[in-house]
Amino acid sequence: WFPVGSRSVPAGGPQQGLGRGAGLVPLKPGRSLMDWIRLTKSGKDLTGLKGRLIEVTEDELSKHNKKEDCWICIRGFVYNVTPYMEYHPGGEDELMKAAGTDGTDLFDQVHRWVNYESMLKECLVGRMAVKPIAAPKGSVHFLFYSYDWFQTDSLITIVIYTKQKDMNAELVIVDCQDKRLRGEIIIDDHSYLVEVDLDHAVSEDVAVNIAEKVGKVEIVLNKKDNIHWKMLGQPLEGHNTFIKRTDRGLFYRKCKLVSKTEVTHDTKLFCLMLPKGTLLHVPTGQHVYLKQIIAGTEVVKPYTPVLPSLPLDFQESPHQDGVHIYLMIKIYSHGLFTQALDHLQIGDYISVSNPEGNFKKSQVQTSEDLLLLAGGTGFTPMVKLLNFALTEVSCLRTVKLIFFNKTEDDILWRNQLEQLALKDERFEVQFILSQPSEDWVGKQGKISSSLLSEFVKRSRRDSKALICICGPTPFTEQGVQYLKDLGYSQEEIHAFTA
Ligand code: FAD
Ligand code: NAP
């Protein structure tokens, strides 16, 4: 709804289609995110209130419901978004849906991760005078879960009984830095949080023990000094709350860039190191958000972690260790975020959020045929998915990747994919180029009904299939439609989107 993006490209330019069918509209030249950031820094009075903040009544809010005078309330704060209209990548009409009202729900539905506070800070009119209409969402339950803690001379152990049979390390995220402990446990679509300012200092070596069968989670901290703690610490904002995951604000920690290697002419593999005291695993099919300050404004974009390489040997990679996060990122010559990323030096820090996403591994575990349709960097979720499918799912008979790119030079990890196909007879890869050179002997074309009917097939007439698709939004949307036309059901298709 406020997606951050530089969407202003010349009409008829090579990427013109990006804005269509994607919930994104082509913007006029000079209306990119960077242009917006420049405007907010220009010192221009964007609210019409000469820097004054006012208390806004519901009645007052509702009066500002026109394109040329549009106020919107988000989480109790009112913004005058009139000057932002033309810069909104989702288009003016989307923004107008919330004109003169509380847009919190609408915002959360579409892009709750977009850092509107930073983007719109110059548009802030003030606070709602009374309780906002849709107050910060999410009923808070204190009773479902609770924690206990105990100590020995050297250890502090925090225990949470989740009563979840399938509790595992991917569902526990711990950050312990500078006496501040944040332990989040994911329980279906909810999250339980322990968040305290610890009573005394602890060292950075945090451990998590999980008794999977009974769902017991222990967070073990090492005391810096062998003194007796009177209390665990002071509770912080989200402490001991059990709320819907989507109602929990994104938590970021600073990660160090440790290496940057070329994958193709425009795509790089970034290796980030989590800080000591952080335990975090990004589950298969999920993404994280990266946050950077660009020209004084916080900008957030999603990226899907990959592995350092495909599973070509049976040795576990030394980097698949819960310490490093690998991201395969295409650097766009006019991309706001990726240009800034490309300028990061080894040793620099970047903020990385907790994982998000609605893909469930169980979808793969019950399938016989796995078909992966990827367009460009839409390949990224397929990396962990391939690894998981080929190393952990025994019921799969065929795994096929159909990989769409513009040219041969754009194909990511081509060599590795070909080697994997030689190594594992269940796996097959098909490259399809939309703009091949004359000497390309492989398949050519764009995603279409006929191409999909040629390549997407069940291994047996009634075999259970899962088809995952990811790429530019119009590619994904068209692909899903073609698959449905070919008779695949909604349950058999998973589309990766934001
Ligand atoms: P932008 O400034 O947004 O622009 C990108 C390019 O597109 C520029 O060349 C720009 O001129 C052009 N452009 C933008 N809008 C239009 C338009 N309307 N019409 C025509 N051209 C346009 N990317 C990865 O590389 N790796 C990943 O693992 C990855 N994971 C993702 C996961 C999710 C869930 C999602 C939603 C996206 C993911 N992306 C990934 C994409 C990523 O989030 C960014 O969108 C991408 O990096 C571009 O950001 P940017 O700010 O550099 O580019
Ligand atoms: P690209 O190189 O521009 O295109 C890759 C392939 O997709 C090409 O064959 C291209 O053919 C085709 N394609 C592009 N636009 C199309 C359209 N409108 N309709 C049909 N086919 C189209 O791709 P890219 O720059 O790597 O972009 C990858 C995209 O994947 C980004 O938009 C990114 O946000 C998205 N992504 C999403 C996720 C996620 O949601 N989880 C994860 C990773 C990446 P043409 O010659 O026709 O352009």
Side-chain angles (χ1 to χ4, degrees):
W1 193 55
F2 282 118
V4 176
S6 163
R7 302 292 169 202
S8 56
V9 288
Q15 304 206 35
Q16 207 191 356
L18 249 179
R20 272 181 279 125
L24 301 173
V25 297
L27 299 170
K28 290 182 197 156
R31 294 292 181 271
S32 70
L33 176 57
M34 196 60 218
D35 296 315
W36 170 250
I37 292 174
R38 275 196 209 104
L39 177 64
T40 62
K41 307 284 171 220
S42 67
K44 210 171 153 195
D45 176 14
L46 297 183
T47 59
L49 295 169
K50 302 196 171 66
R52 227 166 14 105
L53 291 178
I54 57 168
E55 285 221 326
V56 184
T57 59
E58 278 180 38
D59 193 37
E60 182 64 31
L61 176 64
S62 67
K63 288 183 195 156
H64 302 269
N65 62 353
K66 293 171 271 311
K67 261 188 193 161
E68 55 287 359
D69 176 17
C70 181
W71 291 11
I72 291 175
C73 169
I74 307 176
R75 282 185 242 290
F77 289 94
V78 178
Y79 298 90
N80 180 348
V81 296
T82 324
Y84 183 66
M85 280 287 164
E86 292 195 331
Y87 296 81
H88 182 229
E92 298 184 1
D93 293 344
E94 272 306 299
L95 212 50
M96 282 306 292
K97 284 186 185 161
T101 68
D102 190 314
T104 312
D105 282 351
L106 195 56
F107 176 81
D108 282 349
Q109 273 165 31
V110 185
H111 281 314
R112 74 179 189 92
W113 47 274
V114 170
N115 45 330
Y116 67 93
E117 293 102 322
S118 178
M119 294 256 304
L120 296 178
K121 62 176 181 275
E122 296 306 322
C123 297
L124 184 65
V125 169
R127 262 181 190 277
M128 286 302 286
V130 287
K131 187 165 71 67
I133 308 154
K137 290 197 311 171
S139 48
V140 179
H141 307 277
F142 293 93
L143 297 175
F144 280 6
Y145 294 96
S146 192
Y147 72 99
D148 204 354
W149 72 283
F150 58 87
Q151 60 186 311
T152 63
D153 284 349
S154 57
L155 300 176
I156 295 286
T157 303
I158 297 150
V159 192
I160 300 120
Y161 291 95
T162 67
K163 299 178 188 145
Q164 292 290 304
K165 272 185 294 187
D166 48 1
M167 198 22 75
N168 64 66
E170 287 183 347
L171 303 172
V172 183
I173 303 166
V174 179
D175 288 272
C176 185
Q177 279 99 23
D178 304 326
K179 274 185 76 192
R180 198 188 148 116
L181 171 73
R182 186 185 187 281
E184 182 172 359
I185 300 182
I186 311 297
I187 301 158
D188 296 327
D189 55 353
H190 279 68
S191 131
Y192 176 73
L193 195 67
V194 170
E195 192 179 28
V196 284
D197 198 359
L198 295 168
D199 204 26
H200 295 277
V202 291
S203 67
E204 289 166 325
D205 44 345
V206 180
V208 168
N209 301 324
I210 298 171
E212 295 194 7
K213 289 208 177 95
V214 290
K216 179 176 140 194
V217 177
E218 283 181 354
I219 301 173
V220 187
L221 312 173
N222 282 282
K223 288 181 179 176
K224 260 203 177 139
D225 307 302
N226 289 359
I227 46 173
H228 187 79
W229 290 25
K230 291 207 175 64
M231 59 193 295
L232 182 61
Q234 292 296 334
L236 295 169
E237 200 190 334
H239 181 57
N240 203 21
T241 55
F242 177 70
I243 60 173
K244 277 187 91 176
R245 257 182 107 174
T246 45
D247 292 337
R248 189 111 33 230
L250 277 176
F251 181 78
Y252 290 88
R253 74 280 298 146
K254 288 224 157 84
C255 296
K256 193 190 214 171
L257 176 64
V258 292
S259 69
K260 191 164 65 166
T261 44
E262 261 180 35
V263 178
T264 63
H265 62 105
D266 61 6
T267 302
K268 291 181 182 169
L269 188 67
F270 291 78
C271 174
L272 303 175
M273 191 166 72
L274 290 164
K276 288 208 172 87
T278 292
L279 293 175
L280 164 92
H281 300 267
V282 182
T284 299
Q286 297 202 7
H287 51 268
V288 294
Y289 297 97
L290 299 189
K291 183 166 78 178
Q292 302 183 85
I293 296 181
I294 301 175
T297 295
E298 279 186 356
V299 183
V300 175
K301 293 265 163 138
Y303 294 94
T304 312
V306 295
L307 300 170
S309 60
L310 286 172
L312 290 173
D313 56 45
F314 294 99
Q315 282 172 349
E316 199 177 322
S317 153
H319 287 303
Q320 217 187 311
D321 48 11
V323 175
H324 296 92
I325 292 184
Y326 288 85
L327 297 166
M328 193 185 271
I329 299 181
K330 174 164 167 178
I331 312 295
Y332 293 91
S333 54
H334 296 104
L336 180 71
F337 200 86
T338 51
Q339 279 300 320
L341 264 183
D342 200 30
H343 283 89
L344 286 181
Q345 302 293 315
I346 304 301
D348 284 351
Y349 286 84
I350 181 156
S351 295
V352 179
S353 79
N354 284 3
E356 277 207 344
N358 56 8
F359 181 78
K360 294 207 168 55
K361 274 189 194 170
S362 55
Q363 294 168 265
V364 185
Q365 276 157 329
T366 52
S367 301
E368 293 162 83
D369 300 324
L370 177 65
L371 297 142
L372 309 173
L373 308 181
T377 58
F379 171 59
T380 52
M382 311 309 177
V383 172
K384 283 195 182 184
L385 202 45
L386 271 176
N387 182 59
F388 173 67
L390 295 173
T391 58
E392 284 180 54
V393 187
S394 52
C395 61
L396 275 170
R397 263 204 308 272
T398 62
V399 179
K400 188 164 177 176
L401 170 71
I402 302 149
F403 196 0
F404 293 81
N405 283 281
K406 288 190 192 319
T407 71
E408 237 175 312
D409 293 343
D410 296 325
I411 304 176
L412 303 164
W413 281 357
R414 177 178 181 179
N415 242 325
Q416 287 196 51
L417 286 165
E418 285 170 342
Q419 278 187 51
L420 187 62
L422 289 176
K423 186 197 122 185
D424 194 321
E425 59 180 21
R426 290 170 302 169
F427 178 62
E428 195 186 317
V429 59
Q430 179 71 49
F431 300 114
I432 302 180
L433 300 183
S434 51
Q435 300 168 28
S437 64
E438 277 173 9
D439 41 355
W440 173 249
V441 291
K443 201 75 199 167
Q444 178 172 347
K446 281 170 179 284
I447 192 158
S448 67
S449 212
S450 60
L451 265 182
L452 293 189
S453 62
E454 187 180 344
F455 292 109
V456 180
K457 289 200 179 98
R458 296 179 202 269
S459 58
R460 279 197 315 224
R461 213 166 60 90
D462 56 353
S463 61
K464 206 167 170 304
L466 175 68
I467 309 169
C468 297
I469 179 162
C470 188
T473 310
F475 166 94
T476 306
E477 285 177 348
Q478 288 165 31
V480 168
Q481 193 51 52
Y482 296 141
L483 291 168
K484 285 185 180 163
D485 295 347
L486 289 171
Y488 290 94
S489 68
Q490 184 77 54
E491 295 70 52
E492 290 179 305
I493 305 170
H494 180 89
F496 288 96
T497 50

